[in-house]
């Protein structure tokens, strides 16, 4: 199943699920006090630097990309372990939110969209 095969209602559910799970996690963990933010941001940076050169040559569903998405999910899970729909919502957030889009696209002009697609594929196949 591809993102194009689903209607907007499903994606709205994913966005809402991400917000609900994040809000609950923030409340339960004193705003993610358990997360080493400096290390997490360094790990995101390292991962995105590995993904960026692949974007022009590979598809989001390629094995090499999906292996990196397993790391992406692991890093995201330091905050809370997102459900399939919440994780898809995270990928949508990267594309929907202008600040997140700008942040990710600083690594590569198509990073936010590529990550959104790669997150969707990983979530559907691995969560």
């Amino acid at each position: 199943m591809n993102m194009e095969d689903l209607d907007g209602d499903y994606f709205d559910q994913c966005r809402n699920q991400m917000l609900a799970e994040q809000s609950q996690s923030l409340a339960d963990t004193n705003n993610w006090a358990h997360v080493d933010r400096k290390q997490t941001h360094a790990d995101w940076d390292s991962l995105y630097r590995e993904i960026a050169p692949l974007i022009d040559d590979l598809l989001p569903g390629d094995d090499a990309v999906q292996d990196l998405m397993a790391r992406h999910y692991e890093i995201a899970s330091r905050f809370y372990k997102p459900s399939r729909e919440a994780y898809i919502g995270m990928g949508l957030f990267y594309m929907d939110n202008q600040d997140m889009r700008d942040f990710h696209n600083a690594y590569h002009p198509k990073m936010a969209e590529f990550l959104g697609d790669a997150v969707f594929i990983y979530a559907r196949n691995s969560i």
Side-chain angles (χ1 to χ4, degrees):
M1 179 176 297
N2 295 321
M3 289 182 81
E4 296 82 27
D5 297 334
L6 298 169
D7 66 31
D9 289 341
Y10 178 74
F11 294 121
D12 287 342
Q13 291 170 12
C14 292
R15 289 177 180 99
N16 291 335
Q17 188 65 33
M18 181 200 71
L19 291 173
E21 289 181 23
Q22 281 186 353
S23 295
Q24 187 64 52
S25 176
L26 283 163
D28 291 347
T29 63
N30 191 27
N31 294 319
W32 295 327
H34 66 286
V35 176
D36 181 342
R37 291 171 194 256
K38 184 176 179 181
Q39 183 61 55
T40 298
H41 288 292
D43 292 343
W44 285 123
D45 180 66
S46 175
L47 178 63
Y48 293 153
R49 289 179 188 279
E50 287 182 60
I51 294 171
L54 304 177
I55 292 174
D56 292 326
D57 297 319
L58 297 179
L59 297 172
D62 287 348
D63 289 344
V65 174
Q66 288 300 296
D67 289 346
L68 292 170
M69 295 318 297
R71 282 184 36 213
H72 185 273
Y73 184 74
E74 179 274 321
I75 295 168
S77 294
R78 294 177 193 175
F79 296 90
Y80 70 100
K81 188 172 182 176
S83 67
R84 173 185 291 165
E85 285 71 27
Y87 190 55
I88 292 170
M90 180 185 301
L92 294 168
F93 184 65
Y94 292 168
M95 295 185 290
D96 294 344
N97 180 280
Q98 191 62 51
D99 290 338
M100 291 300 284
R101 178 179 280 281
D102 292 345
F103 170 78
H104 289 94
N105 285 352
Y107 290 93
H108 185 285
K110 297 178 183 174
M111 178 70 87
E113 183 177 339
F114 189 85
L115 282 175
D117 291 341
V119 162
F120 176 80
I121 293 165
Y122 183 83
R124 298 296 290 189
N125 293 331
S126 301
I127 300 174

